[in-house]
Coordinates of all heavy atoms in Angstrom, one line a residue:
T1 N 0.9 -1.2 0.0 CA 0.0 0.0 0.0 C 0.9 1.2 0.0 O 1.7 1.4 0.9 CB -0.9 0.0 1.2 OG1 -1.6 -1.2 1.3 CG2 -1.8 1.2 1.2
S2 N 0.7 2.1 -1.0 CA 1.5 3.3 -1.1 C 0.8 4.4 -0.3 O -0.4 4.4 -0.1 CB 1.7 3.7 -2.5 OG 0.5 3.8 -3.2
P3 N 1.6 5.4 0.1 CA 1.0 6.5 0.8 C 0.0 7.3 -0.1 O 0.1 7.2 -1.3 CB 2.1 7.4 1.3 CG 3.3 6.9 0.5 CD 3.0 5.5 0.0
A4 N -0.9 8.0 0.6 CA -1.9 8.8 -0.2 C -1.2 9.8 -1.0 O -0.2 10.5 -0.5 CB -2.9 9.4 0.7
P5 N -1.6 10.1 -2.3 CA -0.9 11.1 -3.1 C -1.1 12.5 -2.4 O -2.1 12.7 -1.7 CB -1.7 11.0 -4.4 CG -2.4 9.7 -4.4 CD -2.6 9.4 -3.0
P6 N -0.2 13.4 -2.7 CA -0.2 14.7 -2.1 C -1.6 15.4 -2.3 O -2.1 16.1 -1.4 CB 0.9 15.5 -2.7 CG 1.9 14.4 -3.1 CD 1.0 13.2 -3.5
S7 N -2.2 15.3 -3.5 CA -3.4 16.0 -3.7 C -4.6 15.4 -2.8 O -5.4 16.2 -2.4 CB -3.8 15.9 -5.2 OG -4.1 14.6 -5.6
V8 N -4.5 14.1 -2.6 CA -5.5 13.5 -1.7 C -5.3 13.9 -0.3 O -6.2 14.2 0.5 CB -5.5 12.0 -1.9 CG1 -6.5 11.3 -0.9 CG2 -5.9 11.6 -3.3
V9 N -4.0 14.0 0.2 CA -3.7 14.4 1.5 C -4.2 15.8 1.8 O -4.9 16.1 2.7 CB -2.2 14.3 1.8 CG1 -1.9 14.9 3.2 CG2 -1.7 12.9 1.8
K10 N -3.9 16.7 0.8 CA -4.3 18.1 0.9 C -5.9 18.2 1.0 O -6.4 18.9 1.8 CB -3.8 18.9 -0.3 CG -4.2 20.4 -0.2 CD -3.6 21.1 -1.4 CE -4.1 22.6 -1.4 NZ -3.7 23.3 -2.6
L11 N -6.5 17.5 0.1 CA -8.0 17.5 0.1 C -8.6 17.0 1.4 O -9.5 17.6 1.9 CB -8.4 16.6 -1.1 CG -10.0 16.4 -1.3 CD1 -10.5 17.6 -2.0 CD2 -10.3 15.2 -2.0
S12 N -8.0 15.9 1.9 CA -8.6 15.3 3.1 C -8.4 16.2 4.4 O -9.1 16.0 5.3 CB -7.9 14.0 3.4 OG -6.5 14.2 3.8
R13 N -7.6 17.2 4.3 CA -7.4 18.1 5.4 C -8.4 19.3 5.4 O -8.4 20.1 6.3 CB -6.0 18.6 5.5 CG -5.0 17.5 5.8 CD -3.6 18.0 5.9 NE -2.7 16.9 6.3 CZ -1.4 17.0 6.2 NH1 -0.8 18.0 5.6 NH2 -0.6 15.9 6.6
S14 N -9.1 19.4 4.3 CA -10.0 20.6 4.2 C -11.3 20.4 5.0 O -11.7 19.2 5.3 CB -10.4 20.8 2.7 OG -11.2 19.7 2.2
R15 N -11.9 21.5 5.4 CA -13.2 21.4 6.1 C -14.2 20.8 5.2 O -15.1 20.1 5.7 CB -13.6 22.8 6.5 CG -12.7 23.4 7.6 CD -13.2 24.7 8.1 NE -12.3 25.2 9.1 CZ -12.3 26.4 9.5 NH1 -13.2 27.3 9.1 NH2 -11.4 26.8 10.4
R16 N -14.2 21.1 3.9 CA -15.3 20.6 3.1 C -15.2 19.0 3.0 O -16.2 18.4 3.0 CB -15.1 21.2 1.7 CG -16.2 20.8 0.7 CD -16.1 21.5 -0.6 NE -17.0 20.9 -1.6 CZ -17.0 21.2 -2.9 NH1 -16.2 22.1 -3.3 NH2 -17.9 20.7 -3.7
F17 N -14.0 18.5 2.9 CA -13.8 17.0 2.9 C -14.4 16.5 4.2 O -15.1 15.5 4.1 CB -12.3 16.7 2.7 CG -12.1 15.2 2.8 CD1 -12.1 14.5 1.6 CD2 -11.9 14.5 3.9 CE1 -12.0 13.1 1.6 CE2 -11.7 13.1 4.0 CZ -11.7 12.4 2.8
Q18 N -14.0 17.0 5.3 CA -14.5 16.5 6.6 C -16.0 16.6 6.7 O -16.6 15.7 7.2 CB -13.8 17.3 7.8 CG -12.3 17.0 7.9 CD -12.0 15.6 8.0 OE1 -12.6 14.8 8.7 NE2 -10.9 15.1 7.3
A19 N -16.6 17.7 6.2 CA -18.1 17.8 6.2 C -18.7 16.7 5.2 O -19.7 16.1 5.6 CB -18.5 19.2 5.7
T20 N -18.1 16.5 4.1 CA -18.6 15.5 3.2 C -18.5 14.1 3.8 O -19.4 13.3 3.7 CB -17.8 15.5 1.9 OG1 -17.9 16.8 1.3 CG2 -18.2 14.5 0.9
A21 N -17.3 13.8 4.4 CA -17.2 12.5 5.1 C -18.2 12.3 6.2 O -18.7 11.3 6.4 CB -15.7 12.4 5.7
A22 N -18.5 13.4 6.9 CA -19.5 13.4 8.0 C -20.8 13.1 7.5 O -21.6 12.3 8.0 CB -19.5 14.7 8.8
A23 N -21.2 13.7 6.3 CA -22.5 13.5 5.7 C -22.6 12.0 5.2 O -23.7 11.4 5.4 CB -22.7 14.5 4.5
L24 N -21.5 11.5 4.6 CA -21.5 10.1 4.1 C -21.6 9.2 5.3 O -22.3 8.1 5.2 CB -20.3 9.9 3.3 CG -20.3 10.5 1.9 CD1 -19.0 10.4 1.2 CD2 -21.4 10.0 1.0
A25 N -20.9 9.5 6.4 CA -21.0 8.6 7.6 C -22.4 8.6 8.1 O -22.9 7.5 8.5 CB -20.0 9.2 8.6
E26 N -23.0 9.7 8.2 CA -24.4 9.8 8.7 C -25.3 9.0 7.8 O -26.2 8.2 8.3 CB -24.9 11.2 8.8 CG -26.2 11.4 9.5 CD -26.6 12.8 9.7 OE1 -25.7 13.7 9.9 OE2 -27.8 13.1 9.7
A27 N -25.2 9.2 6.5 CA -26.1 8.5 5.6 C -25.9 7.0 5.6 O -26.8 6.2 5.4 CB -25.8 9.0 4.1
S28 N -24.7 6.5 5.9 CA -24.3 5.1 5.9 C -24.4 4.5 7.3 O -24.4 3.2 7.4 CB -23.0 4.8 5.4 OG -22.0 5.4 6.2
G29 N -24.5 5.3 8.3 CA -24.6 4.8 9.7 C -23.2 4.3 10.2 O -23.2 3.5 11.2
Q30 N -22.2 4.7 9.6 CA -20.8 4.3 10.0 C -20.1 5.5 10.7 O -20.6 6.6 10.7 CB -20.0 4.0 8.8 CG -20.5 2.8 8.0 CD -19.7 2.5 6.8 OE1 -18.5 2.7 6.8 NE2 -20.3 2.1 5.7
E31 N -19.0 5.2 11.4 CA -18.2 6.2 12.1 C -17.6 7.1 11.1 O -17.1 6.7 10.0 CB -17.2 5.6 13.0 CG -17.7 4.9 14.2 CD -16.7 4.3 15.0 OE1 -15.6 5.0 15.1 OE2 -16.9 3.3 15.7
H32 N -17.5 8.4 11.4 CA -16.9 9.4 10.5 C -15.4 9.1 10.2 O -15.0 9.1 9.1 CB -16.9 10.8 11.3 CG -16.2 11.9 10.5 ND1 -14.9 12.1 10.7 CD2 -16.6 12.7 9.6 CE1 -14.5 13.1 9.9 NE2 -15.6 13.5 9.2
Q33 N -14.7 8.6 11.2 CA -13.3 8.3 11.0 C -13.1 7.1 10.0 O -12.2 7.1 9.2 CB -12.7 7.9 12.3 CG -11.2 7.9 12.4 CD -10.7 7.7 13.8 OE1 -11.4 7.2 14.7 NE2 -9.4 8.1 14.1
V34 N -14.0 6.2 10.1 CA -13.9 5.0 9.2 C -14.3 5.5 7.7 O -13.5 5.1 6.8 CB -14.9 3.9 9.6 CG1 -15.1 2.8 8.5 CG2 -14.5 3.3 10.9
V35 N -15.3 6.3 7.6 CA -15.7 6.8 6.2 C -14.5 7.6 5.7 O -14.2 7.5 4.5 CB -17.0 7.5 6.3 CG1 -17.3 8.2 5.0 CG2 -18.1 6.6 6.6
S36 N -14.0 8.5 6.5 CA -12.9 9.3 6.0 C -11.7 8.5 5.5 O -11.1 8.8 4.5 CB -12.4 10.3 7.2 OG -11.4 11.1 6.8
A37 N -11.3 7.5 6.3 CA -10.2 6.6 5.9 C -10.5 5.9 4.6 O -9.7 5.7 3.7 CB -9.9 5.6 7.0
R38 N -11.7 5.4 4.5 CA -12.1 4.7 3.2 C -12.1 5.6 2.0 O -11.8 5.2 0.9 CB -13.5 4.0 3.4 CG -13.4 2.8 4.3 CD -14.7 2.1 4.5 NE -14.5 0.9 5.3 CZ -15.5 0.3 5.9 NH1 -16.8 0.7 5.8 NH2 -15.3 -0.8 6.6
L39 N -12.6 6.9 2.2 CA -12.6 7.8 1.1 C -11.1 8.1 0.7 O -10.8 8.2 -0.5 CB -13.2 9.1 1.5 CG -14.7 9.2 1.5 CD1 -15.2 10.5 2.1 CD2 -15.3 9.0 0.1
I40 N -10.3 8.3 1.6 CA -8.8 8.6 1.3 C -8.2 7.4 0.6 O -7.6 7.6 -0.5 CB -8.0 8.9 2.6 CG1 -8.5 10.2 3.2 CG2 -6.5 8.8 2.3 CD1 -8.0 10.4 4.6
S41 N -8.6 6.2 1.0 CA -8.1 5.0 0.3 C -8.6 4.9 -1.1 O -7.9 4.6 -2.0 CB -8.4 3.8 1.2 OG -8.0 2.6 0.5
A42 N -9.9 5.1 -1.2 CA -10.5 5.0 -2.6 C -10.0 6.1 -3.5 O -9.7 5.8 -4.7 CB -12.0 5.2 -2.4
L43 N -9.8 7.3 -3.0 CA -9.2 8.4 -3.9 C -7.8 8.1 -4.3 O -7.4 8.3 -5.4 CB -9.4 9.7 -3.2 CG -10.8 10.2 -3.0 CD1 -10.8 11.5 -2.2 CD2 -11.6 10.3 -4.3
S44 N -7.1 7.4 -3.3 CA -5.7 7.1 -3.6 C -5.6 6.0 -4.7 O -4.8 6.1 -5.6 CB -5.0 6.5 -2.4 OG -4.9 7.6 -1.4
L45 N -6.5 5.0 -4.6 CA -6.6 4.0 -5.7 C -7.0 4.5 -7.0 O -6.5 4.1 -8.0 CB -7.6 2.9 -5.2 CG -7.1 2.0 -4.1 CD1 -8.2 1.1 -3.6 CD2 -5.9 1.2 -4.5
L46 N -7.9 5.5 -7.0 CA -8.4 6.1 -8.2 C -7.2 6.9 -8.9 O -7.0 6.9 -10.1 CB -9.5 7.1 -7.9 CG -10.2 7.7 -9.1 CD1 -10.7 6.7 -10.1 CD2 -11.4 8.6 -8.6
T47 N -6.4 7.5 -8.0 CA -5.2 8.2 -8.5 C -4.3 7.2 -9.3 O -3.8 7.5 -10.4 CB -4.4 8.9 -7.4 OG1 -5.3 9.9 -6.8 CG2 -3.2 9.6 -7.9

C-alpha cells in the first residue's frame, strides 16, 4: 500500500472534505473516522 498522493492528503485536510465525510458517515450509519479513511483509500486507488 502506497501513501496517499499529495493532492488527496491536501484534500482530506479541508473542512469541506471533513463535512462530506461526516455526511456520508451519517447516511451510511458508519463512524466518521472510518468513512474518512475509506474515502482517502478510494481516492488514492483512483489516482
Side-chain angles (χ1 to χ4, degrees):
T1 304
S2 55
S7 66
V8 174
V9 171
K10 180 180 176 185
L11 179 80
S12 70
R13 291 181 177 161
S14 70
R15 288 183 185 170
R16 184 174 171 190
F17 178 91
Q18 293 303 320
T20 301
L24 289 170
E26 186 175 332
S28 67
Q30 298 178 36
E31 291 183 31
H32 176 271
Q33 197 173 20
V34 171
V35 171
S36 182
R38 287 183 176 162
L39 281 174
I40 291 165
S41 178
L43 294 176
S44 297
L45 289 172
L46 186 56
T47 300

